[in-house]
Amino acid sequence: MTKTLVENCFSLDTKRIKNDLGKFRCGRENVEGMIRDNLLEKELRVNYWFEEDSLLLSANGGEPQRVLLYNHPLTFGARTYFVCECGRNAGKLYLTSPNGHFKCRKCHGLIYEINTINKHSPQGKFFYKMNRMIKLTNKSEAMKKIFYKGRYTKAFLRNLKMLARAGFSEKVEDAKMLLKSIWA
Ligand SMILES: [Zn+2]
């Protein structure tokens, strides 16, 4: 059986709806939003809105799916999870086809692309590095704050460490040189 890759699915992160959920909980009416993405090389449009303790999701104008939201209290504030139909709390729900259901990774039986390759073969090694590089590059673009009070931020340093581990020492060296030249 071929497994579906996480990378080939649409994923909805609770962070994506956080702001709108906040507005809804503050009593704002008709809080709704839309996410545009691609799924199976076709355009995907996910409309969402809120009702009581649930999120309603409709893919490409289809029948809405109701997803219960669970608030996990933390010392400061709370973290919201989706409650998948299996009962698990999930930070992300996935859609494998536009007329499918939003479910957690386990329910869909999804695997990460990186886990499908043999890391010990030469091609595998190369692919593994490329895959990590692509992910890290995407991440560093998303990281707005590189400096804080004249130093690299923790998030950036973590990223550098991962780069070094994946074998991209050049990029790490560059970053060190850059910091030296700026704060020299
Ligand atoms: Zn599930």
Side-chain angles (χ1 to χ4, degrees):
M1 196 187 117
T2 52
K3 291 239 179 186
T4 309
L5 301 179
V6 168
E7 286 85 353
N8 293 341
C9 300
F10 168 76
S11 75
L12 178 68
D13 197 309
T14 44
K15 286 178 202 137
R16 192 69 179 68
I17 55 140
K18 207 177 141 195
N19 286 345
D20 285 331
L21 179 62
K23 286 178 201 163
F24 175 72
R25 285 191 176 143
C26 288
R28 278 266 279 279
E29 278 174 47
N30 305 321
V31 182
E32 52 175 42
M34 200 239 284
I35 301 165
R36 268 178 199 283
D37 209 312
N38 283 297
L39 181 60
L40 307 172
E41 291 171 0
K42 284 189 190 128
E43 194 184 75
L44 176 75
R45 223 177 50 248
V46 176
N47 288 87
Y48 64 86
W49 62 99
F50 302 91
E51 271 179 33
E52 292 165 18
D53 48 7
S54 300
L55 172 73
L56 280 102
L57 295 163
S58 161
N60 289 351
E63 185 80 12
Q65 183 187 336
R66 181 181 289 269
V67 176
L68 189 68
L69 298 171
Y70 168 70
N71 242 9
H72 179 70
L74 300 170
T75 317
F76 299 101
R79 209 193 139 178
T80 303
Y81 290 93
F82 299 118
V83 183
C84 178
E85 53 194 41
C86 67
R88 282 191 192 95
N89 294 332
K92 277 184 184 175
L93 287 183
Y94 298 87
L95 198 61
T96 53
S97 85
N99 37 26
H101 265 78
F102 285 91
K103 291 183 205 169
C104 72
R105 192 163 67 86
K106 288 202 173 142
C107 281
H108 276 307
L110 304 176
I111 53 164
Y112 290 100
E113 185 176 39
I114 202 125
N115 295 331
T116 63
I117 55 167
N118 175 6
K119 275 190 254 173
H120 304 291
S121 70
Q123 296 88 339
K125 269 184 196 155
F126 176 73
F127 185 81
Y128 187 79
K129 278 187 183 180
M130 284 307 291
N131 191 308
R132 279 197 78 61
M133 186 68 195
I134 291 163
K135 290 206 171 137
L136 291 170
T137 314
N138 289 345
K139 209 187 235 169
S140 39
E141 273 166 11
M143 274 187 330
K144 286 190 190 107
K145 235 175 176 179
I146 290 181
F147 297 113
Y148 179 72
K149 289 186 181 169
R151 287 162 162 268
Y152 285 125
T153 57
K154 279 182 189 156
F156 183 72
L157 287 174
R158 261 200 307 274
N159 197 341
L160 276 187
K161 254 188 218 166
M162 279 204 274
L163 278 175
R165 242 182 273 143
F168 294 94
S169 47
E170 229 171 84
K171 201 160 181 168
V172 175
E173 276 308 307
D174 278 356
K176 278 187 193 150
M177 296 292 288
L178 178 68
L179 192 60
K180 260 191 201 158
S181 59
I182 291 174
W183 311 112

Short mmCIF file of all heavy atoms in Angstrom, two decimals, residues 19-32 49-52:
data_model
loop_
_atom_site.label_atom_id
_atom_site.label_comp_id
_atom_site.label_asym_id
_atom_site.label_seq_id
_atom_site.Cartn_x
_atom_site.Cartn_y
_atom_site.Cartn_z
N ASN A 19 -6.16 34.18 15.50
CA ASN A 19 -6.65 35.56 15.60
C ASN A 19 -8.16 35.63 15.47
O ASN A 19 -8.82 36.32 16.25
CB ASN A 19 -6.03 36.44 14.52
CG ASN A 19 -4.58 36.75 14.84
OD1 ASN A 19 -4.13 36.55 15.96
ND2 ASN A 19 -3.87 37.21 13.83
N ASP A 20 -8.70 34.91 14.49
CA ASP A 20 -10.14 34.94 14.28
C ASP A 20 -10.88 34.28 15.45
O ASP A 20 -11.95 34.74 15.85
CB ASP A 20 -10.51 34.24 12.96
CG ASP A 20 -10.16 35.13 11.78
OD1 ASP A 20 -10.18 36.36 11.94
OD2 ASP A 20 -9.87 34.59 10.70
N LEU A 21 -10.30 33.23 15.99
CA LEU A 21 -10.91 32.57 17.15
C LEU A 21 -10.97 33.54 18.32
O LEU A 21 -11.97 33.62 19.03
CB LEU A 21 -10.12 31.32 17.52
CG LEU A 21 -10.63 30.54 18.73
CD1 LEU A 21 -12.03 30.01 18.50
CD2 LEU A 21 -9.69 29.39 19.08
N GLY A 22 -9.90 34.31 18.49
CA GLY A 22 -9.85 35.32 19.55
C GLY A 22 -10.99 36.32 19.40
O GLY A 22 -11.67 36.64 20.36
N LYS A 23 -11.19 36.80 18.16
CA LYS A 23 -12.27 37.75 17.89
C LYS A 23 -13.62 37.14 18.22
O LYS A 23 -14.48 37.77 18.83
CB LYS A 23 -12.28 38.15 16.40
CG LYS A 23 -11.16 39.09 16.01
CD LYS A 23 -11.23 39.36 14.51
CE LYS A 23 -9.90 39.85 13.99
NZ LYS A 23 -9.82 39.75 12.54
N PHE A 24 -13.81 35.89 17.81
CA PHE A 24 -15.08 35.19 18.06
C PHE A 24 -15.33 35.06 19.56
O PHE A 24 -16.43 35.29 20.04
CB PHE A 24 -15.04 33.81 17.38
CG PHE A 24 -16.25 32.97 17.67
CD1 PHE A 24 -17.48 33.27 17.10
CD2 PHE A 24 -16.16 31.88 18.53
CE1 PHE A 24 -18.60 32.49 17.37
CE2 PHE A 24 -17.28 31.09 18.80
CZ PHE A 24 -18.49 31.41 18.23
N ARG A 25 -14.28 34.72 20.29
CA ARG A 25 -14.42 34.54 21.74
C ARG A 25 -14.66 35.86 22.46
O ARG A 25 -15.19 35.87 23.56
CB ARG A 25 -13.19 33.83 22.31
CG ARG A 25 -13.23 32.36 21.96
CD ARG A 25 -12.21 31.57 22.71
NE ARG A 25 -12.36 30.15 22.40
CZ ARG A 25 -11.37 29.29 22.26
NH1 ARG A 25 -10.13 29.70 22.41
NH2 ARG A 25 -11.60 28.03 22.01
N CYS A 26 -14.26 36.95 21.83
CA CYS A 26 -14.51 38.27 22.41
C CYS A 26 -15.92 38.73 22.09
O CYS A 26 -16.30 39.86 22.42
CB CYS A 26 -13.51 39.28 21.90
SG CYS A 26 -11.89 39.05 22.58
N GLY A 27 -16.69 37.92 21.41
CA GLY A 27 -18.08 38.25 21.15
C GLY A 27 -18.36 38.85 19.78
O GLY A 27 -19.48 39.26 19.50
N ARG A 28 -17.35 38.96 18.93
CA ARG A 28 -17.58 39.48 17.58
C ARG A 28 -18.46 38.50 16.80
O ARG A 28 -18.33 37.29 16.93
CB ARG A 28 -16.25 39.62 16.83
CG ARG A 28 -15.51 40.88 17.16
CD ARG A 28 -15.83 41.99 16.17
NE ARG A 28 -15.06 41.88 14.95
CZ ARG A 28 -13.80 42.29 14.80
NH1 ARG A 28 -13.14 42.80 15.79
NH2 ARG A 28 -13.21 42.19 13.65
N GLU A 29 -19.38 39.06 16.03
CA GLU A 29 -20.27 38.19 15.25
C GLU A 29 -19.72 37.97 13.85
O GLU A 29 -18.97 38.78 13.34
CB GLU A 29 -21.67 38.81 15.19
CG GLU A 29 -22.46 38.51 16.46
CD GLU A 29 -23.79 39.21 16.49
OE1 GLU A 29 -24.49 39.16 15.47
OE2 GLU A 29 -24.10 39.82 17.53
N ASN A 30 -20.18 36.90 13.25
CA ASN A 30 -19.82 36.57 11.86
C ASN A 30 -18.31 36.59 11.60
O ASN A 30 -17.85 37.15 10.63
CB ASN A 30 -20.50 37.53 10.88
CG ASN A 30 -22.00 37.56 11.06
OD1 ASN A 30 -22.61 36.51 11.30
ND2 ASN A 30 -22.59 38.73 10.97
N VAL A 31 -17.58 35.97 12.51
CA VAL A 31 -16.14 35.86 12.27
C VAL A 31 -15.91 34.70 11.30
O VAL A 31 -16.35 33.58 11.56
CB VAL A 31 -15.36 35.61 13.58
CG1 VAL A 31 -13.87 35.56 13.30
CG2 VAL A 31 -15.67 36.69 14.60
N GLU A 32 -15.30 35.02 10.18
CA GLU A 32 -15.04 33.97 9.19
C GLU A 32 -13.78 34.29 8.43
O GLU A 32 -13.28 35.41 8.47
CB GLU A 32 -16.22 33.85 8.23
CG GLU A 32 -16.60 35.19 7.61
CD GLU A 32 -17.68 35.07 6.55
OE1 GLU A 32 -18.62 34.32 6.79
OE2 GLU A 32 -17.54 35.74 5.52
N TRP A 49 -15.57 29.23 9.73
CA TRP A 49 -16.29 30.12 10.64
C TRP A 49 -16.49 29.38 11.95
O TRP A 49 -16.13 28.20 12.06
CB TRP A 49 -17.60 30.61 10.01
CG TRP A 49 -18.62 29.56 9.69
CD1 TRP A 49 -19.70 29.22 10.43
CD2 TRP A 49 -18.66 28.73 8.51
NE1 TRP A 49 -20.42 28.23 9.81
CE2 TRP A 49 -19.81 27.91 8.63
CE3 TRP A 49 -17.85 28.59 7.38
CZ2 TRP A 49 -20.15 26.96 7.66
CZ3 TRP A 49 -18.19 27.65 6.42
CH2 TRP A 49 -19.34 26.85 6.56
N PHE A 50 -17.03 30.09 12.93
CA PHE A 50 -17.11 29.50 14.27
C PHE A 50 -18.55 29.39 14.74
O PHE A 50 -19.40 30.22 14.39
CB PHE A 50 -16.33 30.36 15.27
CG PHE A 50 -14.89 30.53 14.89
CD1 PHE A 50 -14.49 31.60 14.11
CD2 PHE A 50 -13.94 29.60 15.30
CE1 PHE A 50 -13.16 31.75 13.74
CE2 PHE A 50 -12.61 29.75 14.94
CZ PHE A 50 -12.22 30.83 14.15
N GLU A 51 -18.80 28.37 15.54
CA GLU A 51 -20.10 28.21 16.17
C GLU A 51 -19.88 27.60 17.54
O GLU A 51 -19.32 26.51 17.64
CB GLU A 51 -20.98 27.26 15.35
CG GLU A 51 -21.81 27.97 14.29
CD GLU A 51 -22.64 27.00 13.47
OE1 GLU A 51 -23.08 25.96 14.04
OE2 GLU A 51 -22.82 27.26 12.28
N GLU A 52 -20.25 28.33 18.57
CA GLU A 52 -20.05 27.88 19.95
C GLU A 52 -18.62 27.41 20.19
O GLU A 52 -17.71 28.21 20.10
CB GLU A 52 -21.08 26.79 20.31
CG GLU A 52 -22.49 27.36 20.37
CD GLU A 52 -23.56 26.30 20.37
OE1 GLU A 52 -23.26 25.14 20.65
OE2 GLU A 52 -24.71 26.66 20.08
#
